[in-house]
Amino acid sequence: MVARVIAVDPFDLVVFGATGDLAARKLIPALYFRDVAGQIPPQARIIGASRRHLSGNEFRDLARGWLEQHVRPEEREDGKVARFLGRLGYVAVQADGDDGWNDLAGALADAPERVRVFYLATGPELFGPICAHIGRHGLASKAARVVVEKPIGKSLASATEVNDAIGAVFPEDHVYRIDHYLGKETVQNLMALRFANALFEPLWNNAHVDHVQITVAETLGVEGRAGYYDTAGALRDMVQNHMLQLLCLVAMEPPTSLEADAVRDEKLKVLKSLVPMTPDTVAERTVRGQYRAGASSGGPVKGYLDELGDTTSRTETFVALRAEIANWRWAGVPFYLRSGKRLASRVSEIVVAFRPIPHSVFQGAGPISPNRLVIRLQPNEGVKLWLMIKDPGPGGMRLQHVPLDMSFASVFAARNPDAYERLLMDVVRGNQTLFMRRDEVEAAWTWIDPILEAWAASTDGPKPYTSGTWGPSAAIALIERDGRTWHEDEEGE
Ligand code: BG6
């Protein structure tokens, strides 16, 4: 099966922070792939903007280097690379000052009606100043929209400030808050699985589901990002956004359509139904950890504090928690979330664990494991439904737990596009379904804030764990205390 390419209107895309890590690793490669797919109209312009004084050619040389680093050689043809680079321009702009804004306005002046995207691949402290300049220079045209990356704030109060500053220039239906997890192929498959099949929905509730697990495990450490990461930590970096968004997609009611607000209204209800944490429940239901030296991806690695060069940091690189949703569908069904760096393998998955059968007729046939639906986001994207079946052959009835296995790589021949490819084109098309609305971001912070506050007030810091393991033993105890275990599949990386 081959992916369909849907045409988009000509657009001007201005990337602020154009010489940064996100542009290099994700945005420029994603735009290149969309260009190769024939989705970028010939009139489209992609303009890099940052404070560095570069000529257009110097920026294109940088971009060529990023493509060489982040796109496999067999996917890089000289002609196609040259054509793509030809679409790139550059303007030196001071995000929090006046320099360069007239040049940028000049570069956009000849197409005032065109879809205009401002992508702020910068720190959140620059979102407000950049938007203010965009407004002041009359660049927020009717077809203009702004894209912002997480983190949006560090708490409810700071997120509200950032959102106010953006909202002073752009109306909410022109604001695209990216959560790249929503652009992942399998995350959207979760919606297809739930709402395009009659099979699961009748079982998707507390009468049939015992619990849900969401794991996002990485083998990487904080790499070159220790400066940012140490001010964030795993709860802000992964849980407040990506993991709560995944939880919403699992738990939300069926929306009336895929129209942006229909989906976002349902996600918001889930966030508002999360049982708030108190200092006592934070102590019982959350575990935070910090990696120590160990082995990862086949070699020895340093501990977090060594990487950071600061022995006092209490920033967590791992978090596990038990969330509860207070509504009719989910009351009594725990949602266990865990995410961490330098864990034993790279695996992101959602596990819906069904209740055990009420009575077994198979005496002596071995234990009967409850059904599990495992939605694998990465690597080896796919869906597995674990069922009990009879062991083949004569010799009496013996039962086995085996997966009905749909690996997407073996079903679909198409390349699995990066989340940013889809999300960037959605912005150009004006489709906000996969972007977070302001009230969602703020509701997520409302739930996260008490956890951060209780941790800050506690005399205990994060529990150490050895790199290359599954985190502190308290995270295993968190789920085992409830008579359950973290799902294990042999397929991580
Ligand atoms: C980012 C976090 O949002 O997501 C990173 O800031 C994390 O710390 C990354 O590594 C994980 O994304 P992915 O797509 O590699 O699972």
Side-chain angles (χ1 to χ4, degrees):
M1 218 175 272
V2 176
R4 221 157 35 105
V5 173
I6 303 169
V8 298
D9 291 336
F11 61 88
D12 287 336
L13 165 63
V14 182
V15 179
F16 288 90
T19 55
D21 184 58
L22 184 76
R25 277 189 312 112
K26 294 291 186 183
L27 304 180
I28 293 294
L31 290 163
Y32 166 73
F33 277 117
R34 287 299 90 208
D35 192 31
V36 171
Q39 203 173 15
I40 301 206
Q43 310 89 320
R45 293 181 296 196
I46 299 164
I47 302 173
S50 90
R51 69 176 64 231
R52 279 174 65 182
H53 286 274
L54 298 174
S55 66
N57 278 339
E58 284 168 327
F59 181 63
R60 286 185 281 278
D61 282 346
L62 272 181
R64 183 193 308 280
W66 298 333
L67 293 179
E68 281 165 11
Q69 236 179 314
H70 301 292
V71 176
R72 289 203 305 256
E74 62 275 22
E75 292 176 317
R76 273 187 343 245
E77 262 177 49
D78 288 349
K80 290 180 178 164
V81 169
R83 183 183 71 177
F84 172 70
L85 293 177
R87 298 186 186 289
L88 303 185
Y90 184 81
V91 182
V93 180
Q94 201 187 352
D96 49 359
D98 289 327
D99 293 354
W101 285 96
N102 287 334
D103 300 337
L104 181 60
L108 297 172
D110 61 343
E113 306 288 320
R114 193 183 270 190
V115 168
R116 190 178 275 180
V117 180
F118 295 103
Y119 197 119
L120 312 194
T122 65
E125 67 288 354
L126 293 178
F127 294 171
I130 294 176
C131 287
H133 275 101
I134 289 173
R136 209 170 305 141
H137 285 85
L139 300 179
S141 57
K142 237 164 84 205
R145 47 209 74 166
V146 66
V147 187
V148 288
E149 275 286 334
K150 61 159 259 278
I152 295 169
K154 296 188 67 186
S155 61
L156 175 60
S158 51
T160 308
E161 252 175 57
V162 173
N163 281 329
D164 282 347
I166 298 170
V169 179
F170 291 96
E172 182 61 27
D173 59 353
H174 291 222
V175 181
Y176 290 73
R177 296 179 190 80
I178 279 220
D179 184 313
H180 78 280
Y181 266 60
L182 294 181
K184 287 188 190 273
E185 195 67 33
T186 328
V187 175
Q188 287 168 64
N189 244 307
L190 177 57
M191 293 218 254
L193 202 68
R194 285 194 62 193
F195 305 132
N197 296 286
L199 196 62
F200 296 110
E201 209 45 32
L203 304 178
W204 212 259
N205 54 52
N206 51 9
H208 301 285
V209 174
D210 177 73
H211 72 280
V212 175
Q213 302 182 12
I214 304 177
T215 295
V216 177
E218 300 181 87
T219 49
L220 293 177
V222 292
E223 311 305 302
R225 298 163 72 227
Y228 148 74
Y229 194 87
D230 200 54
T231 64
L235 190 70
R236 289 190 178 97
D237 188 50
M238 297 298 291
V239 180
Q240 189 271 344
N241 35 76
H242 306 322
M243 299 197 75
L244 287 184
Q245 285 291 320
L246 295 180
L247 178 145
C248 284
L249 294 180
V250 175
M252 72 183 183
E253 294 301 314
T256 49
S257 71
L258 280 190
E259 193 268 318
D261 279 339
V263 173
R264 301 191 300 179
D265 286 347
E266 295 307 334
K267 288 195 291 169
L268 179 65
K269 284 187 213 159
V270 175
L271 291 166
K272 290 192 162 176
S273 311
L274 285 167
V275 176
M277 294 268 191
T278 63
D280 286 345
T281 55
V282 168
E284 261 167 47
R285 297 182 192 164
T286 71
V287 173
R288 55 188 163 142
Q290 192 183 64
Y291 61 82
R292 296 285 180 261
S296 180
S297 312
V301 292
K302 285 186 184 172
Y304 177 73
L305 296 178
D306 269 353
E307 272 180 343
L308 190 66
D310 171 1
T311 52
T312 59
S313 169
R314 282 168 39 123
T315 299
E316 79 287 354
T317 60
F318 174 95
V319 56
L321 58 85
R322 174 192 155 125
E324 286 174 3
I325 300 174
N327 65 20
W328 272 50
R329 191 189 276 263
W330 296 115
V333 178
F335 282 67
Y336 298 98
L337 273 46
R338 67 175 166 166
S339 178
K341 303 228 177 252
R342 288 274 188 247
L343 296 183
S345 60
R346 173 172 177 258
V347 44
S348 298
E349 64 190 10
I350 299 169
V351 179
V352 179
F354 291 93
R355 288 188 183 281
I357 53 165
H359 166 73
S360 173
V361 298
F362 300 100
Q363 302 308 327
I368 299 193
S369 306
N371 301 129
R372 284 187 166 192
L373 179 69
V374 180
I375 298 141
R376 174 66 80 107
L377 311 187
Q378 59 197 28
N380 313 325
E381 292 84 350
V383 176
K384 284 185 188 176
L385 179 60
W386 287 81
L387 302 166
M388 295 304 299
I389 59 148
K390 180 188 167 298
D391 223 359
M397 182 64 94
R398 294 179 313 277
L399 297 175
Q400 261 196 57
H401 202 210
V402 290
L404 200 62
D405 188 352
M406 183 164 78
S407 150
F408 295 157
S410 56
V411 178
F412 303 102
R415 185 182 70 86
N416 190 2
D418 187 75
Y420 278 93
E421 293 180 46
R422 174 190 326 272
L423 295 173
L424 279 163
M425 292 300 104
D426 277 359
V427 177
V428 174
R429 271 197 293 267
N431 182 351
Q432 288 185 306
T433 302
L434 297 177
F435 297 82
M436 294 181 292
R437 205 169 54 194
R438 172 176 185 155
D439 49 7
E440 283 180 80
V441 174
E442 294 180 2
W445 279 120
T446 302
W447 191 72
I448 291 288
D449 271 0
I451 305 178
L452 290 168
E453 282 157 21
W455 283 356
S458 157
T459 48
D460 297 335
K463 297 189 187 329
Y465 63 95
T466 304
S467 290
T469 66
W470 280 108
S473 53
I476 296 169
L478 173 83
I479 189 166
E480 295 200 342
R481 265 202 311 272
D482 295 346
R484 303 181 174 107
T485 50
W486 291 109
H487 179 78
E488 268 185 50
D489 201 335
E490 312 70 50
E491 270 192 78
E493 255 180 3

mmCIF file of all heavy atoms in Angstrom, residues 26 149-150 180-181 184 216 218 220-221 225 228-229 237-238 241-242 341 346 348 378, ligand 1:
data_model
loop_
_atom_site.group_PDB
_atom_site.id
_atom_site.type_symbol
_atom_site.label_atom_id
_atom_site.label_comp_id
_atom_site.label_asym_id
_atom_site.label_seq_id
_atom_site.Cartn_x
_atom_site.Cartn_y
_atom_site.Cartn_z
ATOM 1 N N LYS A 26 14.799 17.598 12.870
ATOM 2 C CA LYS A 26 13.427 17.244 12.532
ATOM 3 C C LYS A 26 12.813 18.070 11.405
ATOM 4 O O LYS A 26 12.252 17.507 10.474
ATOM 5 C CB LYS A 26 12.539 17.411 13.786
ATOM 6 C CG LYS A 26 12.861 16.429 14.905
ATOM 7 C CD LYS A 26 12.469 15.028 14.523
ATOM 8 C CE LYS A 26 12.640 14.035 15.637
ATOM 9 N NZ LYS A 26 12.322 12.667 15.195
ATOM 10 N N GLU A 149 6.365 24.919 20.173
ATOM 11 C CA GLU A 149 6.821 23.624 20.675
ATOM 12 C C GLU A 149 6.617 23.579 22.181
ATOM 13 O O GLU A 149 6.605 24.609 22.847
ATOM 14 C CB GLU A 149 8.325 23.518 20.413
ATOM 15 C CG GLU A 149 8.692 23.020 19.040
ATOM 16 C CD GLU A 149 8.437 21.527 18.890
ATOM 17 O OE1 GLU A 149 8.463 20.799 19.903
ATOM 18 O OE2 GLU A 149 8.208 21.094 17.749
ATOM 19 N N LYS A 150 6.521 22.403 22.749
ATOM 20 C CA LYS A 150 6.586 22.294 24.184
ATOM 21 C C LYS A 150 8.027 22.558 24.632
ATOM 22 O O LYS A 150 8.916 22.398 23.802
ATOM 23 C CB LYS A 150 6.139 20.913 24.645
ATOM 24 C CG LYS A 150 7.020 19.764 24.088
ATOM 25 C CD LYS A 150 6.897 18.557 24.922
ATOM 26 C CE LYS A 150 8.046 18.385 25.861
ATOM 27 N NZ LYS A 150 9.237 17.793 25.314
ATOM 28 N N HIS A 180 4.479 16.207 19.332
ATOM 29 C CA HIS A 180 4.787 15.363 18.167
ATOM 30 C C HIS A 180 4.299 13.931 18.349
ATOM 31 O O HIS A 180 4.144 13.201 17.379
ATOM 32 C CB HIS A 180 6.274 15.442 17.793
ATOM 33 C CG HIS A 180 7.185 14.629 18.662
ATOM 34 N ND1 HIS A 180 7.599 15.046 19.885
ATOM 35 C CD2 HIS A 180 7.761 13.417 18.473
ATOM 36 C CE1 HIS A 180 8.399 14.124 20.415
ATOM 37 N NE2 HIS A 180 8.518 13.124 19.576
ATOM 38 N N TYR A 181 3.979 13.538 19.596
ATOM 39 C CA TYR A 181 3.426 12.190 19.775
ATOM 40 C C TYR A 181 2.088 12.033 19.047
ATOM 41 O O TYR A 181 1.757 10.958 18.579
ATOM 42 C CB TYR A 181 3.295 11.849 21.268
ATOM 43 C CG TYR A 181 4.523 11.101 21.727
ATOM 44 C CD1 TYR A 181 5.767 11.708 21.625
ATOM 45 C CD2 TYR A 181 4.463 9.785 22.183
ATOM 46 C CE1 TYR A 181 6.917 11.033 21.974
ATOM 47 C CE2 TYR A 181 5.611 9.105 22.524
ATOM 48 C CZ TYR A 181 6.838 9.733 22.418
ATOM 49 O OH TYR A 181 7.974 9.066 22.740
ATOM 50 N N LYS A 184 2.424 10.733 15.542
ATOM 51 C CA LYS A 184 2.995 9.396 15.280
ATOM 52 C C LYS A 184 1.910 8.507 14.667
ATOM 53 O O LYS A 184 0.760 8.536 15.087
ATOM 54 C CB LYS A 184 3.530 8.775 16.568
ATOM 55 C CG LYS A 184 4.830 9.440 17.036
ATOM 56 C CD LYS A 184 5.441 8.684 18.189
ATOM 57 C CE LYS A 184 6.574 9.457 18.821
ATOM 58 N NZ LYS A 184 7.870 9.235 18.197
ATOM 59 N N VAL A 216 6.820 4.917 27.995
ATOM 60 C CA VAL A 216 7.685 5.522 26.981
ATOM 61 C C VAL A 216 9.106 5.435 27.535
ATOM 62 O O VAL A 216 9.491 6.209 28.411
ATOM 63 C CB VAL A 216 7.311 6.989 26.670
ATOM 64 C CG1 VAL A 216 8.290 7.576 25.661
ATOM 65 C CG2 VAL A 216 5.887 7.080 26.118
ATOM 66 N N GLU A 218 13.249 5.181 26.992
ATOM 67 C CA GLU A 218 14.335 5.536 26.076
ATOM 68 C C GLU A 218 15.641 4.947 26.592
ATOM 69 O O GLU A 218 15.822 4.815 27.807
ATOM 70 C CB GLU A 218 14.489 7.058 25.996
ATOM 71 C CG GLU A 218 13.253 7.769 25.500
ATOM 72 C CD GLU A 218 13.472 9.270 25.416
ATOM 73 O OE1 GLU A 218 13.958 9.728 24.383
ATOM 74 O OE2 GLU A 218 13.161 9.978 26.391
ATOM 75 N N LEU A 220 18.520 6.404 25.425
ATOM 76 C CA LEU A 220 19.394 7.583 25.418
ATOM 77 C C LEU A 220 19.379 8.277 26.771
ATOM 78 O O LEU A 220 18.413 8.172 27.520
ATOM 79 C CB LEU A 220 18.894 8.585 24.371
ATOM 80 C CG LEU A 220 19.006 8.169 22.912
ATOM 81 C CD1 LEU A 220 18.403 9.238 22.019
ATOM 82 C CD2 LEU A 220 20.465 7.924 22.531
ATOM 83 N N GLY A 221 20.455 9.028 27.039
ATOM 84 C CA GLY A 221 20.473 9.882 28.229
ATOM 85 C C GLY A 221 19.979 11.266 27.830
ATOM 86 O O GLY A 221 19.212 11.401 26.874
ATOM 87 N N ARG A 225 21.433 17.970 25.887
ATOM 88 C CA ARG A 225 20.350 18.871 26.315
ATOM 89 C C ARG A 225 20.274 19.043 27.819
ATOM 90 O O ARG A 225 19.224 19.443 28.345
ATOM 91 C CB ARG A 225 19.015 18.326 25.825
ATOM 92 C CG ARG A 225 18.896 18.233 24.335
ATOM 93 C CD ARG A 225 17.758 17.333 23.940
ATOM 94 N NE ARG A 225 16.437 17.903 24.182
ATOM 95 C CZ ARG A 225 15.440 17.264 24.774
ATOM 96 N NH1 ARG A 225 15.622 16.049 25.242
ATOM 97 N NH2 ARG A 225 14.271 17.830 24.934
ATOM 98 N N TYR A 228 18.718 22.358 29.279
ATOM 99 C CA TYR A 228 17.249 22.436 29.300
ATOM 100 C C TYR A 228 16.683 21.394 30.255
ATOM 101 O O TYR A 228 15.820 21.675 31.094
ATOM 102 C CB TYR A 228 16.681 22.214 27.887
ATOM 103 C CG TYR A 228 15.323 21.530 27.895
ATOM 104 C CD1 TYR A 228 14.179 22.233 28.274
ATOM 105 C CD2 TYR A 228 15.190 20.172 27.570
ATOM 106 C CE1 TYR A 228 12.936 21.600 28.317
ATOM 107 C CE2 TYR A 228 13.962 19.540 27.617
ATOM 108 C CZ TYR A 228 12.837 20.256 27.991
ATOM 109 O OH TYR A 228 11.621 19.630 28.054
ATOM 110 N N TYR A 229 17.180 20.163 30.114
ATOM 111 C CA TYR A 229 16.531 19.044 30.807
ATOM 112 C C TYR A 229 16.555 19.233 32.317
ATOM 113 O O TYR A 229 15.593 18.898 33.011
ATOM 114 C CB TYR A 229 17.217 17.720 30.424
ATOM 115 C CG TYR A 229 16.379 16.527 30.824
ATOM 116 C CD1 TYR A 229 15.395 16.046 29.969
ATOM 117 C CD2 TYR A 229 16.536 15.910 32.061
ATOM 118 C CE1 TYR A 229 14.592 14.982 30.333
ATOM 119 C CE2 TYR A 229 15.737 14.847 32.435
ATOM 120 C CZ TYR A 229 14.771 14.388 31.558
ATOM 121 O OH TYR A 229 13.961 13.336 31.929
ATOM 122 N N ASP A 237 8.848 17.042 30.964
ATOM 123 C CA ASP A 237 9.324 16.790 29.605
ATOM 124 C C ASP A 237 8.451 15.769 28.872
ATOM 125 O O ASP A 237 8.248 15.880 27.667
ATOM 126 C CB ASP A 237 10.781 16.284 29.673
ATOM 127 C CG ASP A 237 11.435 16.164 28.307
ATOM 128 O OD1 ASP A 237 11.359 17.140 27.538
ATOM 129 O OD2 ASP A 237 12.008 15.098 28.001
ATOM 130 N N MET A 238 7.966 14.773 29.572
ATOM 131 C CA MET A 238 7.251 13.680 28.902
ATOM 132 C C MET A 238 5.813 13.492 29.384
ATOM 133 O O MET A 238 4.923 13.194 28.598
ATOM 134 C CB MET A 238 7.993 12.343 29.118
ATOM 135 C CG MET A 238 9.370 12.277 28.531
ATOM 136 S SD MET A 238 9.419 12.469 26.728
ATOM 137 C CE MET A 238 8.663 10.953 26.174
ATOM 138 N N ASN A 241 2.815 16.363 28.771
ATOM 139 C CA ASN A 241 2.352 16.500 27.390
ATOM 140 C C ASN A 241 2.123 15.144 26.734
ATOM 141 O O ASN A 241 0.990 14.674 26.662
ATOM 142 C CB ASN A 241 3.347 17.350 26.604
ATOM 143 C CG ASN A 241 4.776 17.089 27.088
ATOM 144 O OD1 ASN A 241 5.362 16.061 26.759
ATOM 145 N ND2 ASN A 241 5.326 17.979 27.901
ATOM 146 N N HIS A 242 3.220 14.495 26.302
ATOM 147 C CA HIS A 242 3.061 13.281 25.489
ATOM 148 C C HIS A 242 2.228 12.210 26.190
ATOM 149 O O HIS A 242 1.310 11.639 25.620
ATOM 150 C CB HIS A 242 4.419 12.659 25.142
ATOM 151 C CG HIS A 242 5.381 13.604 24.495
ATOM 152 N ND1 HIS A 242 4.991 14.552 23.590
ATOM 153 C CD2 HIS A 242 6.728 13.753 24.626
ATOM 154 C CE1 HIS A 242 6.057 15.225 23.175
ATOM 155 N NE2 HIS A 242 7.121 14.767 23.792
ATOM 156 N N LYS A 341 14.751 7.919 30.936
ATOM 157 C CA LYS A 341 15.930 7.886 30.073
ATOM 158 C C LYS A 341 16.861 6.799 30.604
ATOM 159 O O LYS A 341 16.801 6.449 31.783
ATOM 160 C CB LYS A 341 16.638 9.238 30.114
ATOM 161 C CG LYS A 341 15.694 10.373 29.703
ATOM 162 C CD LYS A 341 16.332 11.277 28.689
ATOM 163 C CE LYS A 341 15.388 12.360 28.223
ATOM 164 N NZ LYS A 341 14.904 12.163 26.862
ATOM 165 N N ARG A 346 14.541 0.633 24.250
ATOM 166 C CA ARG A 346 13.710 1.717 23.726
ATOM 167 C C ARG A 346 12.382 1.116 23.314
ATOM 168 O O ARG A 346 12.315 0.314 22.387
ATOM 169 C CB ARG A 346 14.398 2.361 22.523
ATOM 170 C CG ARG A 346 13.533 3.379 21.818
ATOM 171 C CD ARG A 346 14.322 4.124 20.750
ATOM 172 N NE ARG A 346 13.446 5.036 20.037
ATOM 173 C CZ ARG A 346 12.945 4.791 18.828
ATOM 174 N NH1 ARG A 346 13.241 3.674 18.192
ATOM 175 N NH2 ARG A 346 12.144 5.676 18.250
ATOM 176 N N SER A 348 8.027 2.211 23.283
ATOM 177 C CA SER A 348 6.878 3.024 23.700
ATOM 178 C C SER A 348 5.636 2.229 23.360
ATOM 179 O O SER A 348 5.449 1.846 22.198
ATOM 180 C CB SER A 348 6.820 4.335 22.937
ATOM 181 O OG SER A 348 7.966 5.073 23.218
ATOM 182 N N GLN A 378 6.606 2.527 19.073
ATOM 183 C CA GLN A 378 7.945 2.442 18.499
ATOM 184 C C GLN A 378 8.829 1.584 19.385
ATOM 185 O O GLN A 378 8.554 1.539 20.585
ATOM 186 C CB GLN A 378 8.575 3.840 18.348
ATOM 187 C CG GLN A 378 8.687 4.565 19.675
ATOM 188 C CD GLN A 378 8.910 6.060 19.543
ATOM 189 O OE1 GLN A 378 8.505 6.664 18.584
ATOM 190 N NE2 GLN A 378 9.541 6.638 20.528
HETATM 191 C C1 BG6 B 1 10.766 15.081 23.428
HETATM 192 C C2 BG6 B 1 11.481 15.164 24.737
HETATM 193 O O1 BG6 B 1 9.575 15.828 23.480
HETATM 194 O O2 BG6 B 1 10.460 13.729 23.137
HETATM 195 C C3 BG6 B 1 12.737 14.317 24.716
HETATM 196 O O3 BG6 B 1 11.800 16.509 25.026
HETATM 197 C C4 BG6 B 1 12.425 12.901 24.283
HETATM 198 O O4 BG6 B 1 13.374 14.323 25.976
HETATM 199 C C5 BG6 B 1 11.601 12.903 23.003
HETATM 200 O O5 BG6 B 1 13.647 12.230 24.071
HETATM 201 C C6 BG6 B 1 11.125 11.506 22.664
HETATM 202 O O6 BG6 B 1 10.552 11.530 21.396
HETATM 203 P P1 BG6 B 1 10.568 10.244 20.465
HETATM 204 O O7 BG6 B 1 9.772 10.664 19.265
HETATM 205 O O8 BG6 B 1 12.002 9.935 20.171
HETATM 206 O O9 BG6 B 1 9.912 9.160 21.251
#
